[in-house]
Amino acid sequence: MEGVTSPTATTSSSPASTSAPSGASSATPLADAGIALGPLDGRYRAAVAPLVEHLSEAALNRERLRVEVEWLVHLTGVGAVPGARRLTDDEVARLRAVVEGFGPADVEELAAIERETVHDVKAVEYFLKRRMADTSLADLVELVHFCCTSEDVNNLSYALMVRGAVHQVWLPAATALADQVAGLAVELRDVPLLARTHGQAATPTTMGKELAVLAARLRRQLRRIERAEFLGKLNGATGTFGAHVAAVPGTDWPEVSRTFVEHLGLTWNPLTTQIEPHDWQAELYADVARFNRVLHNLCTDVWTYISLGYFAQVRGQGTVGSSTMPHKVNPIRFENAEANLEVSSGLLDVLSSTLVTSRLQRDLTDSSTQRNVGTAFGHSLLAIDNVRRGLAGLDAVPEAMLADLDANWEVLGEAVQSAMRAAGIAGTPGMDEPYERLKELTRGRRVDGPALRAFVSGLGLPKDVERRLLALTPAGYTGLAGDLVDRLG
């Protein structure tokens, strides 16, 4: 930020001015054509385009401009600087229109200014002063950026950007995904499923209950993210209001700062160095990364259910599943999502761990780091889009689930030995060592229905217990799984 040239100031440099790597061609037709370097601005642009409005370089400069305008409006509105007149309603509207109308031509003009200043925030200051020159606002140009260090503008701008991206783009998409998973859980509430703890046949559940677990986990992370605080500060070069007090000692600058930051819809941080410490960002990015990882778990589970034949991919998956095997419909949506979630979470981890540290009162590591916030959210948003598309293309195959259940009657050993324990505690004789007896019957071997029923009939259980166990099947041994789905709300 401070004294650092941003990408907007260098994009017009000629590729020929950069020496080519050894062995590389000196021709750069792709670079000249403006081809995107990364997939988010190329192959996947459509899926992540809404984030451009919030987390792009242009959006950063627009929010810087917003902060400068609102600071000017605030200073004059509260009379913080003696002699500075109050703005008229028309002047306030004219200033805010500069922000709201910030478009491609303005981006280019700002980049040109920055090539001269070699300082991104100073370029924004000069840009705004140009818009005020030769208007009724000309007498107030020196109130632009009054007593501000660059980080006063930057920290507020990033807070506004990230808040907008989270609440207007990412959260709606993530919430829609969680709701979609919850809806699928309700739809499959009572569809019995052979559980596979450690990858082996285990106590049956329902597909709906397993999806409900994932939906509940996703929603829990979303609640944390919805409650996130977005902090901001405006207190000068080392957080002391030094310039403010030196210029106008009679103004209550902490109060002016607090009301300004809160006017922007942010939480005021009164204790900072030159930078707002970014702890709120670290907390938010950790929560988003955790959401990513829960979603990654959903992807791997659904991928496995597809491989077991429990889901068929029949809708919206395109016409080509494999380039050589026409019978295949590959679970590419979930695989693509896995990869993008890993990239996003990796970036978010880096952001969380590095943004909380700044040497003494200020270093510039956060400047470059924060420029990757858009990329981190972009890969997460892309993954969410892929998972939603993947889930929309699934049909449950209850017959396949039932076939696996019917092939694993040994899973009822848990129910039988538990009933034996209860009967023994109630005084029924002959119920000794129930676990060991079922272990001998079932471990390492397949047990079919007739064999299990014969075993149960010979135990000497109370007749009501025996009848209940003889009527039990793997598909019917799902406990309260269906009822638990209803707890999703």
Side-chain angles (χ1 to χ4, degrees):
M1 305 299 176
E2 293 187 317
V4 176
T5 303
S6 77
T8 57
T10 58
T11 50
S12 64
S13 299
S14 170
S17 64
T18 304
S19 58
S22 176
S25 169
S26 60
T28 55
L30 295 181
D32 287 342
I35 302 300
L37 174 63
L40 294 184
D41 282 319
R43 184 182 188 91
Y44 304 124
R45 175 72 175 193
V48 301
L51 286 174
V52 174
E53 194 64 31
H54 300 278
L55 297 176
S56 62
E57 187 76 19
L60 170 59
N61 282 325
R62 185 196 61 216
E63 295 311 306
R64 285 167 169 161
L65 189 58
R66 187 187 309 279
V67 171
E68 297 281 15
V69 164
E70 293 302 327
W71 180 234
L72 175 59
V73 171
H74 191 71
L75 285 174
T76 58
V78 300
V81 182
R85 64 178 178 80
R86 191 180 186 93
L87 299 176
T88 67
D89 291 344
D90 285 345
E91 287 173 329
V92 172
R94 191 186 312 156
L95 284 168
R96 288 175 174 162
V98 173
V99 179
E100 300 309 323
F102 190 74
D106 301 300
V107 171
E108 289 301 318
E109 181 183 347
L110 186 57
I113 298 172
E114 190 179 338
R115 284 192 289 273
E116 297 175 8
T117 62
V118 197
H119 194 294
D120 43 13
V121 177
K122 201 67 179 177
V124 172
E125 176 188 342
Y126 289 166
F127 178 91
L128 180 55
K129 285 180 174 179
R130 281 187 182 183
R131 294 299 185 272
M132 295 170 63
D134 301 321
T135 74
S136 65
L137 295 162
D139 62 315
L140 296 174
V141 291
E142 291 310 320
L143 272 186
V144 176
H145 204 67
F146 183 77
C147 289
C148 288
T149 187
S150 295
E151 268 306 295
D152 286 330
V153 175
N154 283 332
N155 86 95
L156 297 170
S157 299
Y158 270 107
L160 293 172
M161 291 166 61
V162 175
R163 185 186 65 183
V166 169
H167 284 286
Q168 296 179 37
V169 180
W170 189 88
L171 262 176
T175 300
L177 167 63
D179 290 346
Q180 185 178 1
V181 177
L184 193 57
V186 171
E187 180 184 334
L188 302 176
R189 176 186 187 276
D190 298 312
V191 176
L193 168 74
L194 179 68
R196 294 178 181 271
T197 58
H198 305 280
Q200 302 179 64
T203 301
T205 177
T206 70
M207 180 62 81
K209 181 263 180 182
E210 298 312 302
L211 291 172
V213 170
L214 291 160
R217 293 175 66 195
L218 292 170
R219 284 177 167 177
R220 183 170 182 272
Q221 298 312 314
L222 291 178
R223 287 194 295 272
R224 291 175 61 92
I225 295 165
E226 287 167 352
R227 295 193 299 266
E229 277 192 298
F230 300 85
L231 275 63
K233 71 98 182 181
L234 194 152
N235 51 19
T238 57
T240 65
F241 295 98
H244 306 70
V245 174
V248 188
T251 293
D252 184 351
W253 286 109
E255 181 63 10
V256 172
S257 173
R258 181 189 67 78
T259 54
F260 174 60
V261 172
E262 292 178 355
H263 161 74
L264 295 174
L266 306 174
T267 299
W268 182 55
N269 187 348
L271 287 169
T272 77
T273 60
Q274 183 177 106
I275 69 166
E276 200 288 321
H278 308 318
D279 295 347
W280 70 264
Q281 289 193 60
E283 293 158 4
L284 171 65
Y285 302 153
D287 286 343
V288 175
R290 197 176 306 109
F291 175 93
N292 283 348
R293 291 184 169 109
V294 175
L295 185 55
H296 189 283
N297 195 173
L298 182 148
C299 290
T300 56
D301 277 5
V302 172
W303 186 98
T304 303
Y305 292 141
I306 292 169
S307 73
L308 292 169
Y310 296 168
F311 284 115
Q313 300 178 99
V314 295
R315 289 174 282 127
Q317 300 301 308
T319 58
V320 178
S322 167
S323 62
T324 61
M325 293 173 279
H327 68 283
K328 292 181 68 181
V329 180
N330 298 329
I332 57 173
R333 296 293 183 191
F334 300 101
E335 293 168 345
N336 184 293
E338 284 183 49
N340 280 286
L341 290 166
E342 288 161 6
V343 172
S344 175
S345 297
L347 284 172
L348 291 166
D349 287 348
V350 170
L351 289 165
S352 297
S353 63
T354 60
L355 285 176
V356 294
T357 300
S358 184
R359 294 173 184 84
L360 302 179
Q361 284 69 51
R362 187 357 169 198
D363 68 38
L364 271 174
T365 52
D366 64 332
S367 176
S368 294
T369 304
Q370 288 180 105
R371 293 186 188 277
N372 292 283
V373 172
T375 305
F377 275 96
H379 283 285
S380 180
L381 186 65
L382 177 59
I384 290 169
D385 180 70
N386 270 292
V387 175
R388 293 201 67 196
R389 290 170 182 265
L391 292 175
L394 296 181
D395 272 347
V397 186
E399 298 81 8
M401 297 182 228
L402 285 171
D404 270 359
L405 286 161
D406 197 50
N408 288 276
W409 278 75
E410 63 272 14
V411 298
L412 295 182
E414 178 194 49
V416 174
Q417 64 101 0
S418 296
M420 291 175 66
R421 286 175 186 270
I425 293 170
T428 301
M431 298 295 112
D432 303 334
E433 298 184 328
Y435 177 86
E436 288 73 18
R437 291 161 72 180
L438 267 297
K439 173 182 171 182
E440 181 180 350
L441 174 69
T442 61
R443 181 165 292 188
R445 68 183 70 173
R446 287 290 176 87
V447 178
D448 60 14
L452 187 68
R453 292 189 179 109
F455 178 82
V456 169
S457 296
L459 289 174
L461 287 162
K463 290 303 178 183
D464 61 328
V465 177
E466 181 179 307
R467 282 194 299 272
R468 186 168 70 248
L469 291 178
L470 290 175
L472 193 61
T473 67
Y477 182 41
T478 59
L480 302 176
D483 294 338
L484 292 172
V485 175
D486 299 337
R487 292 181 177 267
L488 270 175

